[in-house]
Amino acid sequence: MRYQAPRGTQDVLPPEAQTWLDIETTFREVSRLYGYGEVRTPTFEDLGLFVRSSGETSEIVTKQMYEFTDKGGRQVALKPEGTAPVIRALIEHNLCGPGSICRLSYVTPIFRYERPQKGRLRESHQLGLELIGSDSPAADSEIIEMTAAFYKKIGLAEIVVKINSIGRSECRAAYGAAVLQTAETWLRDQDEETRARAAKNPLRMLDSKDPALQDALSGAPAVLEYLEPDSAERFDRLQECLGAAEVTFQVDPRIVRGLDYYTETVFEVQSTQLGAQSALCGGGRYDNLVRELGGPDLPAVGVAMGIERALIVMGLEPGAYRRNPLDVYVVAASPDQVPAAGALVRSLRSAGMSATWDLDKKTLKAQLKQADRLQAAFAAILGEEEAAARQISVRDMKSSEQHRVSDSEIISFLKPRL
Ligand code: HAM
């Protein structure tokens, strides 16, 4: 019997695992620069936490949750998202007292029983940020600014930040009624369950990928027309803050998001390189969740960015950041050069460069082939001629360009080129 990774999951292997590490490191660096502290929560939680937070009408809860009863008879679920567990931890450990602001980040796997396709997995990974304790539009702007800064750092240029406001619950009730009315003809042909779900949360229909429903809703009014005056003013201020932070954005009234906890600001970053699954990330404000989960009355805003989707776009954008899995492969062109090659490997590593070499006394050609296979950025070749001149030949493995560098300058030559 041969086993395979379960459907909708994937193994991350070298050299791609290095890119994952680089993405996570970049995210942690952005988080640190903005003063966010990392939280690690368990892989599974009480089922009720997600039912309470994500919402009983969300697809994530109704259809996609990996839930089970453990051997002690407890109902638990693998986390389908990171926000509710972070808020549960914040409340449990009293991380944020009244009047204070708490900035948290996380890197987590999430589990959703979805139909797998490109960019949609059953186990995927999120980089998340949550800012708890401020209801200022400047907080929403900070989260969006960080998100844009992260994508810029990993080299994604073809992105669009789309923002919207879904207001407070009064606005959503009035707007929901208008959406229901617009979709009336379509709803008449649907089953009982779909109609009940639509009646409970009409805005969810706007998020549907069903073309017939999208067609039916094409004449629906924009939620922005239904905003209470204070929400509209808040949304204007957010746009001012984003302008001051030099974040380019578009207002898109169709962004509503698939989780129940959102209030006021919602946003997504989309890539022009992705198709229907164009959301690289999603987030928004959730001013009632901390209280609803039994904590103090604290407003909050956050985002989660999918690592797999970022990787897809990195593969599509030629300018995107991608580091070679190995910095230098050291080649000993003749057996006499083996001791010097060993010494060079060690000094490169001490200088912070990844380096390896041939352990099996292969030919020069075989060693260069190995350098290529390992996707080394450079090969450093030590031969008789080079040794006599106290030099090393450095070959750029991508361009095949070769330089002679004096052996005392090899580190200062390579470092800035990596
Ligand atoms: P979400 O929109 O459900 O929001 O997920 C955020 C991001 O996670 C998506 O834009 C996508 O990049 C990635 N993602 C979600 N599901 C999958 C999947 N099945 N396969 C691949 N990638 C996926 C949330 O999870 C909220 N907790 C975001 C948030 C944080 N809101 C406030 N704070």
Side-chain angles (χ1 to χ4, degrees), residues 8 54 60 64 80-85 106 110-131 143 151 207 257-259 261-262 267-269 274 277-286 289 300-310 312:
S54 304
I60 293 170
Q64 300 174 348
E81 60 113 34
T83 307
Y106 52 93
I110 59 159
F111 306 87
R112 296 181 188 177
Y113 192 79
E114 301 204 72
R115 191 192 290 266
Q117 55 172 255
K118 196 170 178 210
R120 198 201 280 163
L121 290 122
R122 291 183 173 166
E123 181 183 22
S124 66
H125 298 78
Q126 289 185 337
L127 307 168
L129 299 166
E130 312 291 351
L131 196 170
I143 291 285
Y151 286 125
D207 216 23
R257 316 272 305 118
L259 296 152
Y261 48 61
Y262 291 111
F267 71 94
E268 286 182 5
V269 174
L274 288 175
Q277 296 291 319
S278 60
L280 270 169
C281 73
R285 178 159 281 286
Y286 50 96
L289 184 63
V301 57
V303 65
M305 304 177 257
I307 296 184
E308 288 83 353
R309 294 208 187 152
I312 294 174

Side-chain angles (χ1 to χ4, degrees), residues 41-263:
T41 65
T43 301
F44 61 90
E45 297 268 358
D46 276 337
L47 173 68
L49 174 67
F50 301 113
V51 176
R52 247 344 252 285
S53 56
S54 304
E56 280 161 276
T57 61
S58 79
E59 289 224 323
I60 293 170
V61 166
T62 54
K63 294 189 180 155
Q64 300 174 348
M65 202 120 74
Y66 276 90
E67 50 181 277
F68 59 99
T69 308
D70 74 7
K71 289 187 168 49
R74 298 172 199 89
Q75 281 202 296
V76 293
L78 301 185
K79 56 176 144 176
E81 60 113 34
T83 307
V86 166
I87 298 304
R88 194 261 315 131
L90 172 120
I91 298 168
E92 186 173 335
H93 304 286
N94 270 326
L95 295 186
C96 200
S100 63
I101 289 184
C102 200
R103 291 179 165 88
L104 301 172
S105 68
Y106 52 93
V107 178
T108 184
I110 59 159
F111 306 87
R112 296 181 188 177
Y113 192 79
E114 301 204 72
R115 191 192 290 266
Q117 55 172 255
K118 196 170 178 210
R120 198 201 280 163
L121 290 122
R122 291 183 173 166
E123 181 183 22
S124 66
H125 298 78
Q126 289 185 337
L127 307 168
L129 299 166
E130 312 291 351
L131 196 170
I132 303 107
S134 169
D135 65 2
S136 165
D140 311 26
S141 176
E142 177 172 305
I143 291 285
I144 297 172
E145 180 187 334
M146 287 178 76
T147 305
F150 165 75
Y151 286 125
K152 190 169 171 208
K153 270 190 190 259
I154 61 167
L156 300 193
E158 310 287 317
I159 57 163
V160 191
V161 176
K162 294 195 166 179
I163 63 168
N164 189 23
S165 174
I166 53 169
R168 285 189 273 118
S169 55
E170 297 87 335
C171 153
R172 283 195 299 283
Y175 180 59
V179 172
L180 261 185
Q181 205 171 22
T182 316
E184 208 179 354
T185 329
W186 180 85
L187 278 168
R188 240 180 262 141
D189 299 331
Q190 306 306 310
D191 61 26
E192 189 71 30
E193 196 195 325
T194 310
R195 281 206 299 270
R197 211 161 346 115
K200 232 174 168 180
N201 192 338
L203 265 64
R204 185 124 301 135
M205 286 192 285
L206 294 166
D207 216 23
S208 161
K209 299 270 183 291
D210 181 335
L213 176 54
Q214 282 308 319
D215 202 35
L217 287 173
S218 59
V223 62
L224 297 172
E225 295 164 31
Y226 286 76
L227 288 186
E228 310 270 318
D230 55 340
S231 295
E233 198 202 311
R234 201 182 177 287
F235 193 49
D236 286 345
R237 284 199 47 220
L238 167 62
Q239 295 178 54
E240 281 163 26
C241 292
L242 287 172
E246 295 180 11
V247 175
T248 315
F249 62 90
Q250 288 175 10
V251 174
D252 183 347
R254 301 298 282 216
I255 305 275
V256 286
R257 316 272 305 118
L259 296 152
D260 269 358
Y261 48 61
Y262 291 111
T263 51

Side-chain angles (χ1 to χ4, degrees), residues 322-350:
R322 212 168 252 272
R323 200 176 153 166
N324 281 74
L326 183 69
D327 293 334
V328 190
Y329 190 89
V330 176
V331 175
S334 73
D336 287 352
Q337 303 308 320
V338 169
L344 178 59
V345 167
R346 283 181 204 98
S347 58
L348 289 168
R349 288 178 189 151
S350 308

Side-chain angles (χ1 to χ4, degrees), residues 16-27:
E16 209 193 352
Q18 181 61 49
T19 311
W20 281 66
L21 266 178
D22 292 341
I23 289 179
E24 290 166 12
T25 304
T26 304
F27 170 74

